[in-house]
Amino acid sequence: MGEETKDRPIGVYDSGVGGLTVVRWLHQVLPQERIIYFGDTARVPYGGRPREELIRFSRQIVGFFRKQGAKFIIAACNTSSAAALPVVAEESDVPLMGVIRAGARGAVSVTKAKRIGVMGTQVTVESRAYTLAVKELEPDAAVYEQACPRLVPLIEAGHRDGELVEGPLKEYLQPLLAREIDTLILGCTHYPYLLASIKGLVGSDVEVVDPAEAAAREAEDRLKDLGLLSGKKAGEDLFFVSGEPESFHAAAVQLGYNQSVEHVEIERYTI
Ligand code: DGL
């Protein structure tokens, strides 16, 4: 593989601002990699959409990243990872990874009671992708999945704490706590924005796992295996959205990213 290919960017995508919680870890683990981020803000939330539609969206996004010259793609979205990735990864000539295996690995490495809770979108929970991924690693584990459909719209609207998020959070966490979980997977890349509230509600006896760190390390391993690790950062990161750029920019600034954000007509692309 030539130097030129190694210098190409990694494409990272999500329905909205959630995937930026993965970008944060990618910057720590792989500071020399250039990132192009796509947030599908015109079509967020993904969490209640039919599988066929999510597959079509992922094909469009992969097509866009190919045009941008991406060398590797990360679905920084549990919903897409669960519903679309198994199909789209087979079709793509650019290697693709999701975040679910990383989340399962993170949880199995910290659980002692082998009682694991998962918060996720409706689609992720119905796919049982986390249950299957955890059980592959630890067949004795009990996994309890809880759909949390009201959280993503609140987070996209800029809410991070207070009664507006804590009300639904209490409702979603109560059935998991009743199962006496000792580990909780944040099975949606939007949820780390609510980390302080979630930790406050579950207490210190429950380990909260954000799959993003393990996903960044898995990306490092995959790039190494593929001979695609970049030696030095070959340019600035670029952020794209399918909706209007301003509100996304405001959310990105909260996380310390001040790049300009561009609109893209995502429906023009496909694999
Ligand atoms: N952040 C995404 C996930 O990890 C998508 C959430 C949504 O759009 O419903 O599942």
Side-chain angles (χ1 to χ4, degrees):
M1 200 63 74
E3 200 53 42
E4 211 181 85
T5 311
K6 292 182 185 175
D7 286 345
R8 288 186 191 167
I10 301 177
V12 181
Y13 75 93
D14 178 47
S15 58
V17 296
L20 293 177
T21 63
V22 177
V23 170
R24 199 167 46 177
W25 276 104
L26 289 170
H27 280 150
Q28 296 212 25
V29 175
L30 294 166
Q32 74 285 9
E33 299 294 340
R34 186 157 57 101
I35 288 167
I36 356 173
Y37 185 86
F38 175 75
D40 204 351
T41 54
R43 306 187 290 198
V44 68
Y46 275 7
R49 290 183 183 270
R51 183 159 176 266
E52 278 314 311
E53 194 172 39
L54 293 166
I55 291 172
R56 182 164 58 83
F57 293 175
S58 285
R59 285 184 178 133
Q60 292 169 348
I61 297 163
V62 168
F64 169 67
F65 282 149
R66 284 182 82 243
K67 275 273 174 344
Q68 294 284 322
K71 62 179 178 183
F72 188 71
I73 297 172
I74 302 175
C77 172
N78 292 264
T79 309
S80 278
S81 301
L85 206 72
V87 174
V88 180
E90 290 292 311
E91 300 170 350
S92 170
D93 55 1
V94 181
L96 207 63
M97 69 163 257
V99 287
I100 288 182
R101 204 172 36 193
R105 221 179 314 110
V108 167
S109 71
V110 297
T111 186
K112 293 192 176 72
K114 297 183 187 169
R115 299 180 73 78
I116 298 170
V118 182
M119 301 167 69
T121 66
Q122 196 77 38
V123 167
T124 301
V125 166
E126 281 171 6
S127 76
R128 298 185 70 248
Y130 270 109
T131 300
L132 299 173
V134 166
K135 285 198 174 276
E136 207 176 297
L137 299 167
E138 177 50 83
D140 292 341
V143 185
Y144 305 100
E145 302 202 41
Q146 174 66 46
C148 309
R150 277 156 44 219
L151 298 183
V152 168
L154 286 169
I155 296 163
E156 284 289 325
H159 301 290
R160 304 285 184 259
D161 49 27
E163 200 36 47
L164 211 57
V165 294
E166 294 208 351
L169 268 181
K170 278 181 199 150
E171 188 186 307
Y172 297 141
L173 289 169
Q174 195 280 327
L176 296 175
L177 293 172
R179 299 287 194 168
E180 300 187 334
I181 56 164
D182 76 339
T183 302
L184 175 67
I185 301 175
L186 303 184
C188 171
T189 53
H190 280 75
Y191 302 164
Y193 287 106
L194 309 182
L195 190 62
S197 297
I198 293 171
K199 280 193 165 167
L201 289 168
V202 299
S204 55
D205 291 345
V206 176
E207 283 279 354
V208 179
V209 175
D210 174 2
E213 180 180 359
R217 298 198 190 283
E218 185 180 325
E220 183 182 29
D221 291 343
R222 290 283 302 275
L223 288 169
K224 234 181 245 167
D225 289 348
L226 291 161
L228 286 176
L229 265 186
S230 163
K232 59 166 180 20
K233 193 155 180 166
E236 289 303 305
D237 295 345
L238 297 172
F239 288 1
F240 296 91
V241 289
S242 54
E244 52 84 27
E246 288 74 25
S247 56
F248 185 90
H249 183 254
V253 166
Q254 278 188 356
L255 286 187
Y257 302 122
N258 204 11
Q259 282 81 347
S260 61
V261 181
E262 276 180 47
H263 170 82
V264 54
E265 288 295 330
I266 197 67
E267 308 236 358
R268 288 198 190 145
Y269 298 87
T270 193
I271 283 184

PDB file of all heavy atoms in Angstrom, residues 14-15 18-19 44-48 76-80 121 124 152 187-190, ligand 1:
ATOM      1  N   ASP A  14     -22.565   9.172  11.645  1.00  0.00           N
ATOM      2  CA  ASP A  14     -23.648   8.951  12.607  1.00  0.00           C
ATOM      3  C   ASP A  14     -24.876   9.693  12.078  1.00  0.00           C
ATOM      4  O   ASP A  14     -24.799  10.437  11.101  1.00  0.00           O
ATOM      5  CB  ASP A  14     -23.243   9.505  13.986  1.00  0.00           C
ATOM      6  CG  ASP A  14     -24.343   9.349  15.025  1.00  0.00           C
ATOM      7  OD1 ASP A  14     -24.921   8.247  15.122  1.00  0.00           O
ATOM      8  OD2 ASP A  14     -24.653  10.326  15.738  1.00  0.00           O
ATOM      9  N   SER A  15     -26.014   9.503  12.767  1.00  0.00           N
ATOM     10  CA  SER A  15     -27.209  10.236  12.376  1.00  0.00           C
ATOM     11  C   SER A  15     -27.098  11.721  12.717  1.00  0.00           C
ATOM     12  O   SER A  15     -27.819  12.538  12.158  1.00  0.00           O
ATOM     13  CB  SER A  15     -28.419   9.655  13.110  1.00  0.00           C
ATOM     14  OG  SER A  15     -28.206   9.738  14.504  1.00  0.00           O
ATOM     15  N   GLY A  18     -23.921  12.407  17.664  1.00  0.00           N
ATOM     16  CA  GLY A  18     -23.473  11.276  18.496  1.00  0.00           C
ATOM     17  C   GLY A  18     -22.073  10.788  18.151  1.00  0.00           C
ATOM     18  O   GLY A  18     -21.250  10.541  19.034  1.00  0.00           O
ATOM     19  N   GLY A  19     -21.796  10.666  16.860  1.00  0.00           N
ATOM     20  CA  GLY A  19     -20.504  10.121  16.441  1.00  0.00           C
ATOM     21  C   GLY A  19     -19.319  10.977  16.855  1.00  0.00           C
ATOM     22  O   GLY A  19     -18.177  10.505  16.862  1.00  0.00           O
ATOM     23  N   VAL A  44     -32.049  12.493  11.166  1.00  0.00           N
ATOM     24  CA  VAL A  44     -31.987  12.043  12.553  1.00  0.00           C
ATOM     25  C   VAL A  44     -33.377  12.163  13.159  1.00  0.00           C
ATOM     26  O   VAL A  44     -34.096  13.090  12.798  1.00  0.00           O
ATOM     27  CB  VAL A  44     -30.944  12.902  13.349  1.00  0.00           C
ATOM     28  CG1 VAL A  44     -31.395  14.351  13.515  1.00  0.00           C
ATOM     29  CG2 VAL A  44     -30.601  12.277  14.680  1.00  0.00           C
ATOM     30  N   PRO A  45     -33.858  11.262  14.019  1.00  0.00           N
ATOM     31  CA  PRO A  45     -33.167  10.082  14.535  1.00  0.00           C
ATOM     32  C   PRO A  45     -33.296   8.860  13.624  1.00  0.00           C
ATOM     33  O   PRO A  45     -34.265   8.732  12.884  1.00  0.00           O
ATOM     34  CB  PRO A  45     -33.876   9.830  15.868  1.00  0.00           C
ATOM     35  CG  PRO A  45     -35.246  10.378  15.694  1.00  0.00           C
ATOM     36  CD  PRO A  45     -35.130  11.505  14.710  1.00  0.00           C
ATOM     37  N   TYR A  46     -32.284   7.991  13.720  1.00  0.00           N
ATOM     38  CA  TYR A  46     -32.291   6.729  12.989  1.00  0.00           C
ATOM     39  C   TYR A  46     -33.045   5.636  13.769  1.00  0.00           C
ATOM     40  O   TYR A  46     -33.488   4.648  13.183  1.00  0.00           O
ATOM     41  CB  TYR A  46     -30.844   6.220  12.822  1.00  0.00           C
ATOM     42  CG  TYR A  46     -30.057   6.763  11.646  1.00  0.00           C
ATOM     43  CD1 TYR A  46     -30.533   7.786  10.826  1.00  0.00           C
ATOM     44  CD2 TYR A  46     -28.800   6.226  11.363  1.00  0.00           C
ATOM     45  CE1 TYR A  46     -29.773   8.258   9.763  1.00  0.00           C
ATOM     46  CE2 TYR A  46     -28.043   6.682  10.295  1.00  0.00           C
ATOM     47  CZ  TYR A  46     -28.529   7.697   9.498  1.00  0.00           C
ATOM     48  OH  TYR A  46     -27.769   8.138   8.442  1.00  0.00           O
ATOM     49  N   GLY A  47     -33.138   5.830  15.078  1.00  0.00           N
ATOM     50  CA  GLY A  47     -33.468   4.740  15.999  1.00  0.00           C
ATOM     51  C   GLY A  47     -34.787   4.027  15.833  1.00  0.00           C
ATOM     52  O   GLY A  47     -34.966   2.941  16.375  1.00  0.00           O
ATOM     53  N   GLY A  48     -35.746   4.614  15.078  1.00  0.00           N
ATOM     54  CA  GLY A  48     -37.032   3.935  14.905  1.00  0.00           C
ATOM     55  C   GLY A  48     -37.290   3.603  13.444  1.00  0.00           C
ATOM     56  O   GLY A  48     -38.423   3.271  13.073  1.00  0.00           O
ATOM     57  N   ALA A  76     -20.008   5.209  13.411  1.00  0.00           N
ATOM     58  CA  ALA A  76     -19.977   5.631  14.814  1.00  0.00           C
ATOM     59  C   ALA A  76     -21.406   5.774  15.304  1.00  0.00           C
ATOM     60  O   ALA A  76     -21.792   6.779  15.904  1.00  0.00           O
ATOM     61  CB  ALA A  76     -19.203   6.929  14.958  1.00  0.00           C
ATOM     62  N   CYS A  77     -22.196   4.766  15.007  1.00  0.00           N
ATOM     63  CA  CYS A  77     -23.633   4.765  15.237  1.00  0.00           C
ATOM     64  C   CYS A  77     -24.022   3.314  15.490  1.00  0.00           C
ATOM     65  O   CYS A  77     -23.820   2.449  14.628  1.00  0.00           O
ATOM     66  CB  CYS A  77     -24.321   5.295  13.984  1.00  0.00           C
ATOM     67  SG  CYS A  77     -26.107   5.143  14.023  1.00  0.00           S
ATOM     68  N   ASN A  78     -24.545   3.057  16.685  1.00  0.00           N
ATOM     69  CA  ASN A  78     -24.920   1.680  17.028  1.00  0.00           C
ATOM     70  C   ASN A  78     -26.074   1.187  16.167  1.00  0.00           C
ATOM     71  O   ASN A  78     -26.132   0.023  15.797  1.00  0.00           O
ATOM     72  CB  ASN A  78     -25.333   1.614  18.497  1.00  0.00           C
ATOM     73  CG  ASN A  78     -24.175   1.856  19.424  1.00  0.00           C
ATOM     74  OD1 ASN A  78     -23.556   0.922  19.916  1.00  0.00           O
ATOM     75  ND2 ASN A  78     -23.858   3.114  19.671  1.00  0.00           N
ATOM     76  N   THR A  79     -27.003   2.096  15.847  1.00  0.00           N
ATOM     77  CA  THR A  79     -28.181   1.721  15.075  1.00  0.00           C
ATOM     78  C   THR A  79     -27.772   1.229  13.685  1.00  0.00           C
ATOM     79  O   THR A  79     -28.214   0.162  13.234  1.00  0.00           O
ATOM     80  CB  THR A  79     -29.145   2.927  14.979  1.00  0.00           C
ATOM     81  OG1 THR A  79     -29.368   3.434  16.312  1.00  0.00           O
ATOM     82  CG2 THR A  79     -30.454   2.551  14.352  1.00  0.00           C
ATOM     83  N   SER A  80     -26.898   1.993  13.018  1.00  0.00           N
ATOM     84  CA  SER A  80     -26.387   1.561  11.712  1.00  0.00           C
ATOM     85  C   SER A  80     -25.517   0.324  11.852  1.00  0.00           C
ATOM     86  O   SER A  80     -25.566  -0.569  11.000  1.00  0.00           O
ATOM     87  CB  SER A  80     -25.518   2.651  11.084  1.00  0.00           C
ATOM     88  OG  SER A  80     -26.313   3.589  10.473  1.00  0.00           O
ATOM     89  N   THR A 121     -31.149   2.450  21.011  1.00  0.00           N
ATOM     90  CA  THR A 121     -32.349   2.864  20.293  1.00  0.00           C
ATOM     91  C   THR A 121     -33.245   1.631  20.102  1.00  0.00           C
ATOM     92  O   THR A 121     -32.820   0.497  20.323  1.00  0.00           O
ATOM     93  CB  THR A 121     -31.998   3.452  18.909  1.00  0.00           C
ATOM     94  OG1 THR A 121     -31.458   2.409  18.097  1.00  0.00           O
ATOM     95  CG2 THR A 121     -31.021   4.594  19.015  1.00  0.00           C
ATOM     96  N   THR A 124     -31.640  -0.827  17.644  1.00  0.00           N
ATOM     97  CA  THR A 124     -30.495  -1.552  18.225  1.00  0.00           C
ATOM     98  C   THR A 124     -30.984  -2.620  19.185  1.00  0.00           C
ATOM     99  O   THR A 124     -30.531  -3.772  19.145  1.00  0.00           O
ATOM    100  CB  THR A 124     -29.553  -0.554  18.959  1.00  0.00           C
ATOM    101  OG1 THR A 124     -29.111   0.418  18.019  1.00  0.00           O
ATOM    102  CG2 THR A 124     -28.348  -1.264  19.544  1.00  0.00           C
ATOM    103  N   VAL A 152     -32.387  10.656  22.068  1.00  0.00           N
ATOM    104  CA  VAL A 152     -31.654  11.253  20.939  1.00  0.00           C
ATOM    105  C   VAL A 152     -32.247  12.606  20.517  1.00  0.00           C
ATOM    106  O   VAL A 152     -31.503  13.584  20.363  1.00  0.00           O
ATOM    107  CB  VAL A 152     -31.532  10.263  19.751  1.00  0.00           C
ATOM    108  CG1 VAL A 152     -31.032  10.962  18.489  1.00  0.00           C
ATOM    109  CG2 VAL A 152     -30.587   9.128  20.134  1.00  0.00           C
ATOM    110  N   GLY A 187     -25.210   2.089  24.623  1.00  0.00           N
ATOM    111  CA  GLY A 187     -25.308   1.495  23.295  1.00  0.00           C
ATOM    112  C   GLY A 187     -25.861   2.436  22.240  1.00  0.00           C
ATOM    113  O   GLY A 187     -26.560   2.017  21.314  1.00  0.00           O
ATOM    114  N   CYS A 188     -25.544   3.704  22.364  1.00  0.00           N
ATOM    115  CA  CYS A 188     -25.898   4.722  21.373  1.00  0.00           C
ATOM    116  C   CYS A 188     -24.853   5.818  21.553  1.00  0.00           C
ATOM    117  O   CYS A 188     -24.598   6.250  22.685  1.00  0.00           O
ATOM    118  CB  CYS A 188     -27.296   5.272  21.635  1.00  0.00           C
ATOM    119  SG  CYS A 188     -27.710   6.712  20.628  1.00  0.00           S
ATOM    120  N   THR A 189     -24.254   6.258  20.451  1.00  0.00           N
ATOM    121  CA  THR A 189     -23.135   7.206  20.578  1.00  0.00           C
ATOM    122  C   THR A 189     -23.578   8.590  21.053  1.00  0.00           C
ATOM    123  O   THR A 189     -22.736   9.420  21.376  1.00  0.00           O
ATOM    124  CB  THR A 189     -22.363   7.308  19.248  1.00  0.00           C
ATOM    125  OG1 THR A 189     -23.294   7.613  18.187  1.00  0.00           O
ATOM    126  CG2 THR A 189     -21.651   6.007  18.932  1.00  0.00           C
ATOM    127  N   HIS A 190     -24.878   8.834  21.106  1.00  0.00           N
ATOM    128  CA  HIS A 190     -25.358  10.095  21.669  1.00  0.00           C
ATOM    129  C   HIS A 190     -25.295  10.096  23.209  1.00  0.00           C
ATOM    130  O   HIS A 190     -25.206  11.160  23.821  1.00  0.00           O
ATOM    131  CB  HIS A 190     -26.824  10.340  21.275  1.00  0.00           C
ATOM    132  CG  HIS A 190     -27.016  10.877  19.890  1.00  0.00           C
ATOM    133  ND1 HIS A 190     -26.880  10.102  18.773  1.00  0.00           N
ATOM    134  CD2 HIS A 190     -27.359  12.125  19.458  1.00  0.00           C
ATOM    135  CE1 HIS A 190     -27.142  10.849  17.694  1.00  0.00           C
ATOM    136  NE2 HIS A 190     -27.433  12.072  18.094  1.00  0.00           N
TER     137      HIS A 190
HETATM  138  N1  DGL B   1     -26.138   7.735  17.653  1.00  0.00           N
HETATM  139  C1  DGL B   1     -26.843   6.686  17.037  1.00  0.00           C
HETATM  140  C2  DGL B   1     -26.633   5.349  17.685  1.00  0.00           C
HETATM  141  O1  DGL B   1     -25.524   5.136  18.170  1.00  0.00           O
HETATM  142  C3  DGL B   1     -28.152   6.954  16.381  1.00  0.00           C
HETATM  143  C4  DGL B   1     -29.254   7.400  17.229  1.00  0.00           C
HETATM  144  C5  DGL B   1     -30.490   7.819  16.436  1.00  0.00           C
HETATM  145  O2  DGL B   1     -30.345   8.548  15.477  1.00  0.00           O
HETATM  146  O3  DGL B   1     -31.589   7.389  16.814  1.00  0.00           O
HETATM  147  O4  DGL B   1     -27.473   4.504  17.716  1.00  0.00           O
END
